[in-house]
Amino acid sequence: MPITANNPDRKTWLEVPHDSDFPIQNIPFGVFLTRDDIVTIGTRIGNTAIDLGALHQLGYFEGIPLTDDIFLQDTLNDFISDGKKTWRLVRNRIAEIFDAENSQLRDNEDHRTVVLFGLDEIEMQMPVQVGDYTDFYSSKEHATNVGTMFRDPDNALLPNWLHIPVGYHGRSSSIIPSEIPVHRPKGQTLPPGAKEPVFGPSKRVDFELEMAFITTDANHLGEPIPIEEAEDYIFGLVLFNDWSARDIQTWEYVPLGPFLAKNFASSISPWIVTLDALDPYRTESPKPEIEPLPYLRSKGKKSFDINLEVAIQPENSEETVISKSNFKHMYWNMSQQLAHHTVNGCPVLSGDMMGSGTISGPTPDSYGSMLELSWKGEKPVKLNDGSERKFIEDNDTVIMRGYCQKDTAYRIGFGEVKTKLLPVFQPKKK
Amino acid sequence: MPITANNPDRKTWLEVPHDSDFPIQNIPFGVFLTRDDIVTIGTRIGNTAIDLGALHQLGYFEGIPLTDDIFLQDTLNDFISDGKKTWRLVRNRIAEIFDAENSQLRDNEDHRTVVLFGLDEIEMQMPVQVGDYTDFYSSKEHATNVGTMFRDPDNALLPNWLHIPVGYHGRSSSIIPSEIPVHRPKGQTLPPGAKEPVFGPSKRVDFELEMAFITTDANHLGEPIPIEEAEDYIFGLVLFNDWSARDIQTWEYVPLGPFLAKNFASSISPWIVTLDALDPYRTESPKPEIEPLPYLRSKGKKSFDINLEVAIQPENSEETVISKSNFKHMYWNMSQQLAHHTVNGCPVLSGDMMGSGTISGPTPDSYGSMLELSWKGEKPVKLNDGSERKFIEDNDTVIMRGYCQKDTAYRIGFGEVKTKLLPVFQPKKK
């Protein structure tokens, strides 16, 4: 079935600013609270949010096999369970409804009133209930930088890294959408030179520039997903800020991996951009340095050319872009990650989320964490307001953005994930 | 509110075999499929399964604040969200209904017919939808054994171990109830002496004798749970077999922890025994070797005296008990684990599951894994049928059991978690 929604020549009757991440060729999916305090599934074109629940009730999805309440839910999980064919039918239909030549909704004011919302009339929610969240570690530059800093510059990459898309389980309950602030975590750390750990606020709160993909129900317990089928089970991607407390991490992570250093929060951009929408931006992954085992051999363009950037905005000040990277730097692609994750029969379900790991590029201005940008605090990063940062300070806001653009005036973007770091939590006096 | 359900003198009008794990003083909670193909929440006394959904519809829980459909669900999550006071009211009421002196249900055959089921008429399901699953590593004997085998016998415990209840995130989607078989996983391993990894069936499939506790909604993002409140958020416990592929684990786990070595399956006993039912079996934890930081200082008897055993049953043969351990050996208790888990503000929700880590005792016959019992394969374990085991073989069934007993003729038990290891999965020819 062709992805007609991607037609680059299509115009829409909705207004779309020139630099919007959401032209009619994007059509992402999200969940929002409306002015009537109702939670619904929706999409976005330009700066207009579109209530898919209302569109469906008005009959605009006639002919597509959807249950009546599929969009009247507070998560996308059930819609994602419907599978790739249905996602494509719905996205193609939405493109038709908003096509500049289609008068059906355009000229029906009653319908428009219940379907369309200004961005100031809605509040974005978590788009899915995340069952399980896995974080990979798939940027060779990032793994090399971390290995150089903390282990041995001559053997920065561990022996398994080129053979395995290394990953580990993360915490679902603390994944939150953009705009929800995060408290600086407290925890145990071992100060430099100390023999005993101390307890207190983390002094090294960091972001990690990642993207995450969301899956549909992929397999049953015991059944691996072959690499060539992996993309059938990927619904789409979001920007992902994997908040990290480096001092807590250093003390706790041997031998079972990061835990409290990571699970205090992970922030995502709220619109899921579908794999279909990203199709025109496919690209090769970096050439493998060694041939992986057969179950990890990936054919064709399985990576995506997605420009990424990170900015820090101190309180009451302007933002400074401190890193520009690209998703295409990932050594291991999503198909390899999903094939690896399931090769032992581990079940993957609708709404599961898989992070890429920090996406660092080859140059120092493309590193994806403060740990790398400030080289563990040795080289503070200068901001436009004259201040410096080794790590993130209280009341700083971290903003990540991402978009694809090639041969067209428009771009396909992710919007942003924007999170303020609050001071440590103060319990209310009883 | 007193836990009247624990009255040791209470008799029931239901038949309870002398050696049952489920006297009227237990009253665990589970989910089962009935003969009418309906999923319901229930409890068990002796060998009788009791449909709590039917009991509630018939008015037996009058006066307790419960929604009409609270037991007509396919998981216990919503009931667990109701909180400790409600759990206690319901458990106390069930004890009254089945008290030998209470004729209300006993003498009402119409009611009995819809409420009571024989065990052969039901099929146990997962009792909760597990949102997040965390596995701790809280047995000092186990951590010491593993450290001795794989690192340095003179520094077997890592520097953080006595300061932190070390834990890591596991996979929820592969947690399954007793009786569901598991396939031997395939994966990457680095054979001894080899320079390149190979792909194939794991040759070192192992169990881990654990228990896991199930939580209710405990805190919001950012808010720690103080250690003295931790038990308010613990609903109950199950037996937990944390299946492990040792050869996959060795190759993959540095630096981010175990992943595919663990997430192919974890098996649980299907009846959740409440913390209330375990109250008479409280005991001290082992004396701390060093004083932990204040947020981890635990007062009073926060551990439980629970006898545990593991048996292997080869196909068409009798079982052999290969280990006898006890939950009380855990160095870190559940209150410490939950206080640690949330000290950074990580949210804990209803249905979350937290594994203890392998529960090894001080003597070689009390070790909680084949890795330790066979000392990485160097000392094969003899079975009653004359065969030997270094690790688990295809078609072996692993059975774990647990119970408390003290000063009474009855015991409070968990039943069992029983899982057959099938050969590697063979995809169907297309």
Side-chain angles (χ1 to χ4, degrees):
Chain A
M1 190 195 321
I3 317 173
T4 57
N6 288 3
N7 177 0
D9 298 323
R10 193 191 303 274
K11 308 281 180 209
T12 174
W13 51 265
L14 285 168
E15 194 184 335
V16 179
H18 173 70
D19 61 349
S20 176
D21 278 351
F22 304 99
I24 192 166
Q25 288 78 11
N26 190 339
I27 311 180
F29 292 90
V31 172
F32 56 79
L33 192 68
T34 70
R35 60 196 166 212
D36 308 315
D37 233 20
I38 291 168
V39 175
T40 186
I41 287 170
T43 185
R44 174 177 173 177
I45 297 176
N47 292 329
T48 304
I50 297 157
D51 182 339
L52 296 181
L55 265 186
H56 189 25
Q57 279 185 311
L58 294 169
Y60 284 85
F61 293 116
E62 206 183 305
I64 301 178
L66 296 167
T67 57
D68 288 349
D69 65 347
I70 193 71
F71 296 125
L72 299 173
Q73 307 204 15
D74 54 10
T75 71
L76 278 156
N77 294 56
D78 284 354
F79 175 61
I80 294 174
S81 282
D82 283 347
K84 181 152 270 187
K85 192 178 161 190
T86 300
W87 314 332
R88 194 168 289 177
L89 284 169
V90 167
R91 206 166 145 271
N92 286 349
R93 178 69 59 85
I94 294 169
E96 287 168 26
I97 297 167
F98 293 94
D99 190 298
E101 307 299 318
N102 188 337
S103 61
Q104 190 185 8
L105 177 63
R106 185 190 68 199
D107 297 348
N108 187 327
E109 196 183 334
D110 289 349
H111 284 191
R112 285 204 320 272
T113 304
V114 295
V115 166
L116 306 182
F117 294 82
L119 296 181
D120 55 347
E121 296 177 300
I122 64 163
E123 193 178 292
M124 296 304 296
Q125 311 289 306
M126 274 294 290
V128 288
Q129 182 178 358
V130 182
D132 278 297
Y133 152 53
T134 293
D135 200 22
F136 286 94
Y137 186 59
S138 288
S139 149
K140 181 160 167 278
E141 288 79 3
H142 173 68
T144 304
N145 287 338
V146 172
T148 301
M149 277 186 261
F150 291 115
R151 289 183 295 268
D152 174 5
D154 294 329
N155 294 288
L157 275 189
L158 288 164
N160 57 13
W161 200 92
L162 292 173
H163 297 279
I164 293 180
V166 171
Y168 68 112
H169 302 296
R171 180 89 188 167
S172 303
S173 71
S174 52
I175 301 179
I176 51 177
S178 182
E179 306 281 355
I180 304 285
V182 169
H183 285 282
R184 177 180 295 275
K186 288 182 167 184
Q188 276 195 41
T189 58
L190 189 70
K195 289 198 170 160
E196 299 292 322
V198 299
F199 179 76
S202 167
K203 293 176 178 165
R204 298 189 149 207
V205 175
D206 199 355
F207 61 80
E208 290 193 331
L209 171 62
E210 302 196 16
M211 299 199 71
F213 67 90
I214 291 109
T215 62
T216 185
D217 310 281
N219 61 331
H220 294 108
L221 187 78
E223 304 178 5
I225 300 172
I227 191 162
E228 58 271 20
E229 293 175 19
E231 282 194 354
D232 293 345
Y233 303 104
I234 299 175
F235 176 64
L237 282 90
V238 292
L239 301 167
F240 193 94
N241 179 353
D242 184 24
W243 288 95
S244 301
R246 300 299 178 193
D247 42 0
I248 296 174
Q249 186 174 349
T250 310
W251 173 232
E252 76 172 359
Y253 92 106
V254 176
L256 298 180
F259 182 52
L260 299 189
K262 298 280 189 172
N263 66 18
F264 62 99
S266 309
S267 305
I268 64 169
S269 56
W271 292 107
I272 305 177
V273 176
T274 62
L275 211 61
D276 270 2
L278 299 172
D279 194 64
Y281 308 97
R282 289 180 174 277
T283 186
E284 302 277 353
S285 302
K287 193 172 151 39
E289 300 191 20
I290 55 174
E291 170 122 282
L293 284 162
Y295 78 97
L296 290 172
R297 284 180 204 157
S298 161
K299 283 177 200 145
K301 296 180 175 177
K302 300 289 181 184
S303 191
F304 294 87
D305 183 356
I306 307 171
N307 301 291
L308 300 169
E309 69 175 35
V310 186
I312 294 178
Q313 182 178 21
E315 190 151 57
N316 303 318
S317 181
E318 61 172 319
E319 68 169 60
T320 305
V321 172
I322 56 164
S323 176
K324 292 196 173 207
S325 185
N326 194 302
F327 186 71
K328 72 182 178 188
H329 295 315
M330 305 302 297
Y331 184 88
W332 296 101
N333 62 46
M334 295 182 281
S335 295
Q336 291 172 315
Q337 290 168 342
L338 198 51
H340 182 64
H341 204 315
T342 58
V343 76
N344 67 346
C346 177
V348 168
L349 304 174
S350 176
D352 287 354
M353 201 172 275
M354 312 224 173
S356 56
T358 308
I359 305 169
S360 292
T363 56
D365 58 355
S366 64
Y367 292 167
S369 65
M370 289 304 288
L371 179 70
E372 295 161 270
L373 289 162
S374 78
W375 207 253
K376 30 175 193 172
E378 292 169 6
K379 300 176 185 172
V381 173
K382 287 194 170 45
L383 303 188
N384 292 343
D385 68 1
S387 64
E388 290 187 337
R389 291 291 182 282
K390 295 177 177 175
F391 291 94
I392 303 303
E393 296 190 0
D394 285 354
N395 301 309
D396 281 353
T397 296
V398 175
I399 307 160
M400 295 177 178
R401 302 186 183 93
Y403 69 93
C404 308
Q405 191 160 24
K406 192 186 77 173
D407 311 330
T408 56
Y410 63 80
R411 64 192 197 197
I412 301 292
F414 290 80
E416 59 187 24
V417 51
K418 181 174 180 175
T419 316
K420 185 172 182 175
L421 181 68
L422 300 176
V424 289
F425 175 78
Q426 299 293 347
K428 292 191 188 94
K429 293 258 164 64
K430 286 191 179 163
Chain B
M1 188 196 320
I3 316 173
T4 57
N6 288 2
N7 177 359
D9 299 323
R10 192 191 304 274
K11 308 282 180 209
T12 175
W13 50 266
L14 285 168
E15 194 185 333
V16 179
H18 173 69
D19 61 349
S20 176
D21 277 352
F22 303 100
I24 191 165
Q25 288 79 11
N26 190 340
I27 311 180
F29 291 90
V31 172
F32 54 81
L33 193 67
T34 69
R35 59 194 165 213
D36 307 315
D37 232 20
I38 292 169
V39 176
T40 186
I41 287 170
T43 186
R44 172 176 173 177
I45 297 176
N47 291 330
T48 304
I50 296 158
D51 181 339
L52 296 180
L55 266 184
H56 190 25
Q57 279 185 312
L58 294 169
Y60 284 86
F61 294 114
E62 205 183 306
I64 302 177
L66 295 167
T67 56
D68 288 348
D69 65 347
I70 192 71
F71 296 125
L72 298 173
Q73 306 204 14
D74 54 9
T75 71
L76 277 155
N77 294 55
D78 285 355
F79 175 61
I80 295 174
S81 282
D82 283 347
K84 180 152 270 188
K85 192 178 161 189
T86 301
W87 314 332
R88 194 168 289 179
L89 285 169
V90 166
R91 206 167 145 272
N92 286 348
R93 178 69 59 85
I94 293 169
E96 287 168 27
I97 296 167
F98 292 94
D99 189 299
E101 307 298 317
N102 188 337
S103 60
Q104 190 185 8
L105 177 63
R106 184 190 67 199
D107 298 347
N108 187 328
E109 196 184 334
D110 289 350
H111 285 191
R112 285 205 319 273
T113 304
V114 295
V115 166
L116 307 182
F117 294 81
L119 297 182
D120 55 348
E121 296 177 300
I122 64 164
E123 193 178 292
M124 296 304 296
Q125 311 290 307
M126 274 295 290
V128 288
Q129 182 178 358
V130 183
D132 277 297
Y133 153 53
T134 292
D135 199 23
F136 286 94
Y137 186 59
S138 288
S139 150
K140 182 162 167 278
E141 288 79 3
H142 172 68
T144 304
N145 287 339
V146 172
T148 301
M149 276 186 261
F150 291 115
R151 289 183 295 268
D152 173 5
D154 294 330
N155 295 289
L157 275 189
L158 287 163
N160 58 12
W161 200 93
L162 291 173
H163 297 279
I164 294 179
V166 171
Y168 68 111
H169 302 296
R171 181 89 189 167
S172 303
S173 70
S174 52
I175 300 179
I176 51 177
S178 182
E179 306 282 353
I180 303 285
V182 169
H183 285 281
R184 177 180 297 273
K186 288 182 168 185
Q188 276 195 42
T189 59
L190 189 70
K195 288 196 170 161
E196 298 292 323
V198 298
F199 178 76
S202 167
K203 293 176 178 165
R204 298 187 150 208
V205 175
D206 200 354
F207 60 82
E208 290 193 331
L209 171 62
E210 301 196 16
M211 299 199 71
F213 66 90
I214 290 108
T215 63
T216 185
D217 310 281
N219 61 331
H220 293 109
L221 187 79
E223 304 179 3
I225 300 173
I227 191 163
E228 57 273 18
E229 293 175 18
E231 281 195 355
D232 293 345
Y233 303 103
I234 299 175
F235 177 64
L237 282 90
V238 292
L239 301 167
F240 193 92
N241 179 354
D242 185 22
W243 288 97
S244 300
R246 301 298 177 192
D247 42 0
I248 295 173
Q249 187 173 347
T250 311
W251 174 232
E252 77 173 357
Y253 91 106
V254 177
L256 298 180
F259 182 53
L260 299 190
K262 299 279 190 174
N263 66 17
F264 60 99
S266 310
S267 304
I268 64 169
S269 56
W271 292 107
I272 305 178
V273 177
T274 63
L275 211 60
D276 270 2
L278 298 172
D279 194 64
Y281 308 98
R282 288 180 175 278
T283 187
E284 303 277 354
S285 301
K287 192 172 154 38
E289 301 190 18
I290 55 175
E291 172 123 281
L293 284 161
Y295 79 96
L296 289 173
R297 284 180 204 157
S298 161
K299 284 178 198 144
K301 295 180 175 177
K302 299 289 182 185
S303 191
F304 294 85
D305 183 355
I306 307 171
N307 301 291
L308 301 169
E309 67 174 36
V310 186
I312 294 178
Q313 183 177 20
E315 190 152 57
N316 303 318
S317 181
E318 60 171 321
E319 69 169 60
T320 304
V321 173
I322 55 165
S323 175
K324 292 196 173 208
S325 185
N326 193 302
F327 186 71
K328 71 182 178 188
H329 296 314
M330 305 302 297
Y331 184 89
W332 296 101
N333 62 47
M334 294 182 282
S335 294
Q336 292 172 315
Q337 291 167 342
L338 197 51
H340 183 64
H341 203 315
T342 59
V343 78
N344 66 346
C346 177
V348 168
L349 305 175
S350 176
D352 287 353
M353 202 172 273
M354 311 223 175
S356 56
T358 308
I359 305 168
S360 292
T363 55
D365 58 354
S366 65
Y367 291 168
S369 65
M370 289 303 289
L371 180 69
E372 295 162 271
L373 289 162
S374 78
W375 208 254
K376 26 174 196 172
E378 291 170 6
K379 299 176 186 173
V381 174
K382 286 194 171 45
L383 303 188
N384 292 343
D385 69 359
S387 64
E388 291 186 336
R389 290 291 181 282
K390 296 176 177 175
F391 291 94
I392 304 302
E393 296 190 359
D394 285 355
N395 301 310
D396 282 352
T397 296
V398 175
I399 307 160
M400 296 177 178
R401 302 187 183 93
Y403 70 93
C404 309
Q405 189 160 26
K406 192 186 77 171
D407 311 331
T408 56
Y410 64 79
R411 65 191 197 196
I412 301 292
F414 290 80
E416 59 186 24
V417 51
K418 182 174 179 174
T419 316
K420 185 172 181 175
L421 180 68
L422 301 176
V424 289
F425 175 78
Q426 299 292 348
K428 292 192 188 92
K429 294 257 164 64
K430 284 191 180 163

PDB file of all heavy atoms in Angstrom, chain A residues 380-397:
ATOM      1  N   PRO A 380      34.287  23.620  30.787  1.00  0.00           N
ATOM      2  CA  PRO A 380      32.924  24.152  30.906  1.00  0.00           C
ATOM      3  C   PRO A 380      32.417  24.704  29.565  1.00  0.00           C
ATOM      4  O   PRO A 380      33.193  25.223  28.753  1.00  0.00           O
ATOM      5  CB  PRO A 380      33.071  25.264  31.941  1.00  0.00           C
ATOM      6  CG  PRO A 380      34.292  24.909  32.723  1.00  0.00           C
ATOM      7  CD  PRO A 380      35.214  24.230  31.766  1.00  0.00           C
ATOM      8  N   VAL A 381      31.122  24.567  29.374  1.00  0.00           N
ATOM      9  CA  VAL A 381      30.480  25.027  28.143  1.00  0.00           C
ATOM     10  C   VAL A 381      29.995  26.459  28.367  1.00  0.00           C
ATOM     11  O   VAL A 381      29.335  26.747  29.362  1.00  0.00           O
ATOM     12  CB  VAL A 381      29.293  24.092  27.811  1.00  0.00           C
ATOM     13  CG1 VAL A 381      28.494  24.621  26.631  1.00  0.00           C
ATOM     14  CG2 VAL A 381      29.791  22.672  27.541  1.00  0.00           C
ATOM     15  N   LYS A 382      30.334  27.355  27.432  1.00  0.00           N
ATOM     16  CA  LYS A 382      29.924  28.767  27.562  1.00  0.00           C
ATOM     17  C   LYS A 382      28.524  28.975  27.008  1.00  0.00           C
ATOM     18  O   LYS A 382      28.196  28.502  25.926  1.00  0.00           O
ATOM     19  CB  LYS A 382      30.906  29.660  26.804  1.00  0.00           C
ATOM     20  CG  LYS A 382      32.247  29.794  27.484  1.00  0.00           C
ATOM     21  CD  LYS A 382      33.067  30.939  26.918  1.00  0.00           C
ATOM     22  CE  LYS A 382      34.295  31.204  27.769  1.00  0.00           C
ATOM     23  NZ  LYS A 382      35.047  29.980  28.176  1.00  0.00           N
ATOM     24  N   LEU A 383      27.693  29.721  27.744  1.00  0.00           N
ATOM     25  CA  LEU A 383      26.351  30.068  27.271  1.00  0.00           C
ATOM     26  C   LEU A 383      26.329  31.526  26.809  1.00  0.00           C
ATOM     27  O   LEU A 383      27.197  32.329  27.190  1.00  0.00           O
ATOM     28  CB  LEU A 383      25.322  29.855  28.388  1.00  0.00           C
ATOM     29  CG  LEU A 383      25.256  28.443  28.985  1.00  0.00           C
ATOM     30  CD1 LEU A 383      24.060  28.334  29.934  1.00  0.00           C
ATOM     31  CD2 LEU A 383      25.163  27.365  27.905  1.00  0.00           C
ATOM     32  N   ASN A 384      25.319  31.862  26.010  1.00  0.00           N
ATOM     33  CA  ASN A 384      25.213  33.215  25.436  1.00  0.00           C
ATOM     34  C   ASN A 384      25.117  34.309  26.495  1.00  0.00           C
ATOM     35  O   ASN A 384      25.498  35.449  26.248  1.00  0.00           O
ATOM     36  CB  ASN A 384      23.986  33.314  24.519  1.00  0.00           C
ATOM     37  CG  ASN A 384      24.160  32.462  23.272  1.00  0.00           C
ATOM     38  OD1 ASN A 384      25.284  32.056  22.939  1.00  0.00           O
ATOM     39  ND2 ASN A 384      23.068  32.165  22.598  1.00  0.00           N
ATOM     40  N   ASP A 385      24.585  33.967  27.672  1.00  0.00           N
ATOM     41  CA  ASP A 385      24.433  34.995  28.706  1.00  0.00           C
ATOM     42  C   ASP A 385      25.719  35.190  29.514  1.00  0.00           C
ATOM     43  O   ASP A 385      25.724  35.895  30.525  1.00  0.00           O
ATOM     44  CB  ASP A 385      23.243  34.681  29.630  1.00  0.00           C
ATOM     45  CG  ASP A 385      23.485  33.446  30.498  1.00  0.00           C
ATOM     46  OD1 ASP A 385      24.584  32.831  30.397  1.00  0.00           O
ATOM     47  OD2 ASP A 385      22.585  33.101  31.282  1.00  0.00           O
ATOM     48  N   GLY A 386      26.798  34.540  29.085  1.00  0.00           N
ATOM     49  CA  GLY A 386      28.084  34.734  29.749  1.00  0.00           C
ATOM     50  C   GLY A 386      28.382  33.718  30.834  1.00  0.00           C
ATOM     51  O   GLY A 386      29.510  33.595  31.296  1.00  0.00           O
ATOM     52  N   SER A 387      27.363  32.951  31.235  1.00  0.00           N
ATOM     53  CA  SER A 387      27.603  31.940  32.272  1.00  0.00           C
ATOM     54  C   SER A 387      28.208  30.674  31.653  1.00  0.00           C
ATOM     55  O   SER A 387      28.285  30.536  30.422  1.00  0.00           O
ATOM     56  CB  SER A 387      26.293  31.619  33.000  1.00  0.00           C
ATOM     57  OG  SER A 387      25.370  31.030  32.102  1.00  0.00           O
ATOM     58  N   GLU A 388      28.655  29.782  32.520  1.00  0.00           N
ATOM     59  CA  GLU A 388      29.257  28.524  32.066  1.00  0.00           C
ATOM     60  C   GLU A 388      28.524  27.353  32.712  1.00  0.00           C
ATOM     61  O   GLU A 388      27.949  27.482  33.783  1.00  0.00           O
ATOM     62  CB  GLU A 388      30.734  28.468  32.483  1.00  0.00           C
ATOM     63  CG  GLU A 388      31.618  29.435  31.726  1.00  0.00           C
ATOM     64  CD  GLU A 388      33.104  29.217  32.062  1.00  0.00           C
ATOM     65  OE1 GLU A 388      33.376  28.661  33.160  1.00  0.00           O
ATOM     66  OE2 GLU A 388      33.946  29.584  31.245  1.00  0.00           O
ATOM     67  N   ARG A 389      28.573  26.205  32.050  1.00  0.00           N
ATOM     68  CA  ARG A 389      27.961  24.998  32.600  1.00  0.00           C
ATOM     69  C   ARG A 389      28.916  23.819  32.477  1.00  0.00           C
ATOM     70  O   ARG A 389      29.444  23.551  31.402  1.00  0.00           O
ATOM     71  CB  ARG A 389      26.686  24.624  31.825  1.00  0.00           C
ATOM     72  CG  ARG A 389      25.521  25.553  32.002  1.00  0.00           C
ATOM     73  CD  ARG A 389      24.941  25.493  33.400  1.00  0.00           C
ATOM     74  NE  ARG A 389      23.789  26.378  33.528  1.00  0.00           N
ATOM     75  CZ  ARG A 389      23.869  27.700  33.686  1.00  0.00           C
ATOM     76  NH1 ARG A 389      25.038  28.307  33.742  1.00  0.00           N
ATOM     77  NH2 ARG A 389      22.769  28.430  33.796  1.00  0.00           N
ATOM     78  N   LYS A 390      29.122  23.122  33.617  1.00  0.00           N
ATOM     79  CA  LYS A 390      29.755  21.801  33.562  1.00  0.00           C
ATOM     80  C   LYS A 390      28.659  20.732  33.460  1.00  0.00           C
ATOM     81  O   LYS A 390      28.774  19.773  32.734  1.00  0.00           O
ATOM     82  CB  LYS A 390      30.590  21.573  34.816  1.00  0.00           C
ATOM     83  CG  LYS A 390      31.768  22.524  34.932  1.00  0.00           C
ATOM     84  CD  LYS A 390      32.507  22.288  36.233  1.00  0.00           C
ATOM     85  CE  LYS A 390      33.737  23.200  36.322  1.00  0.00           C
ATOM     86  NZ  LYS A 390      34.410  23.068  37.629  1.00  0.00           N
ATOM     87  N   PHE A 391      27.621  20.940  34.280  1.00  0.00           N
ATOM     88  CA  PHE A 391      26.437  20.082  34.221  1.00  0.00           C
ATOM     89  C   PHE A 391      25.209  21.000  34.269  1.00  0.00           C
ATOM     90  O   PHE A 391      25.347  22.214  34.121  1.00  0.00           O
ATOM     91  CB  PHE A 391      26.481  19.043  35.362  1.00  0.00           C
ATOM     92  CG  PHE A 391      27.574  18.026  35.130  1.00  0.00           C
ATOM     93  CD1 PHE A 391      28.854  18.179  35.679  1.00  0.00           C
ATOM     94  CD2 PHE A 391      27.345  16.924  34.311  1.00  0.00           C
ATOM     95  CE1 PHE A 391      29.863  17.272  35.413  1.00  0.00           C
ATOM     96  CE2 PHE A 391      28.354  16.010  34.048  1.00  0.00           C
ATOM     97  CZ  PHE A 391      29.616  16.187  34.602  1.00  0.00           C
ATOM     98  N   ILE A 392      24.023  20.432  34.467  1.00  0.00           N
ATOM     99  CA  ILE A 392      22.807  21.254  34.439  1.00  0.00           C
ATOM    100  C   ILE A 392      22.563  21.834  35.823  1.00  0.00           C
ATOM    101  O   ILE A 392      22.680  21.144  36.834  1.00  0.00           O
ATOM    102  CB  ILE A 392      21.599  20.409  33.973  1.00  0.00           C
ATOM    103  CG1 ILE A 392      21.883  19.792  32.601  1.00  0.00           C
ATOM    104  CG2 ILE A 392      20.332  21.262  33.914  1.00  0.00           C
ATOM    105  CD1 ILE A 392      22.221  20.786  31.510  1.00  0.00           C
ATOM    106  N   GLU A 393      22.227  23.127  35.865  1.00  0.00           N
ATOM    107  CA  GLU A 393      21.984  23.801  37.141  1.00  0.00           C
ATOM    108  C   GLU A 393      20.490  23.934  37.421  1.00  0.00           C
ATOM    109  O   GLU A 393      19.667  23.867  36.506  1.00  0.00           O
ATOM    110  CB  GLU A 393      22.677  25.172  37.129  1.00  0.00           C
ATOM    111  CG  GLU A 393      24.181  24.999  37.023  1.00  0.00           C
ATOM    112  CD  GLU A 393      24.972  26.291  37.240  1.00  0.00           C
ATOM    113  OE1 GLU A 393      24.358  27.346  37.476  1.00  0.00           O
ATOM    114  OE2 GLU A 393      26.212  26.210  37.157  1.00  0.00           O
ATOM    115  N   ASP A 394      20.163  24.122  38.690  1.00  0.00           N
ATOM    116  CA  ASP A 394      18.767  24.299  39.082  1.00  0.00           C
ATOM    117  C   ASP A 394      18.126  25.407  38.258  1.00  0.00           C
ATOM    118  O   ASP A 394      18.729  26.462  38.036  1.00  0.00           O
ATOM    119  CB  ASP A 394      18.661  24.670  40.573  1.00  0.00           C
ATOM    120  CG  ASP A 394      18.915  23.477  41.481  1.00  0.00           C
ATOM    121  OD1 ASP A 394      19.067  22.338  40.962  1.00  0.00           O
ATOM    122  OD2 ASP A 394      18.966  23.680  42.708  1.00  0.00           O
ATOM    123  N   ASN A 395      16.907  25.151  37.814  1.00  0.00           N
ATOM    124  CA  ASN A 395      16.093  26.105  37.045  1.00  0.00           C
ATOM    125  C   ASN A 395      16.559  26.314  35.606  1.00  0.00           C
ATOM    126  O   ASN A 395      15.990  27.146  34.894  1.00  0.00           O
ATOM    127  CB  ASN A 395      15.951  27.449  37.784  1.00  0.00           C
ATOM    128  CG  ASN A 395      15.316  27.246  39.145  1.00  0.00           C
ATOM    129  OD1 ASN A 395      14.269  26.615  39.237  1.00  0.00           O
ATOM    130  ND2 ASN A 395      15.958  27.734  40.201  1.00  0.00           N
ATOM    131  N   ASP A 396      17.569  25.570  35.178  1.00  0.00           N
ATOM    132  CA  ASP A 396      17.870  25.511  33.745  1.00  0.00           C
ATOM    133  C   ASP A 396      16.766  24.712  33.043  1.00  0.00           C
ATOM    134  O   ASP A 396      16.232  23.748  33.601  1.00  0.00           O
ATOM    135  CB  ASP A 396      19.195  24.754  33.489  1.00  0.00           C
ATOM    136  CG  ASP A 396      20.429  25.609  33.751  1.00  0.00           C
ATOM    137  OD1 ASP A 396      20.294  26.819  34.005  1.00  0.00           O
ATOM    138  OD2 ASP A 396      21.550  25.038  33.705  1.00  0.00           O
ATOM    139  N   THR A 397      16.468  25.119  31.821  1.00  0.00           N
ATOM    140  CA  THR A 397      15.565  24.332  30.984  1.00  0.00           C
ATOM    141  C   THR A 397      16.387  23.720  29.847  1.00  0.00           C
ATOM    142  O   THR A 397      17.163  24.425  29.197  1.00  0.00           O
ATOM    143  CB  THR A 397      14.439  25.217  30.409  1.00  0.00           C
ATOM    144  OG1 THR A 397      13.657  25.695  31.513  1.00  0.00           O
ATOM    145  CG2 THR A 397      13.545  24.442  29.462  1.00  0.00           C
TER     146      THR A 397
END
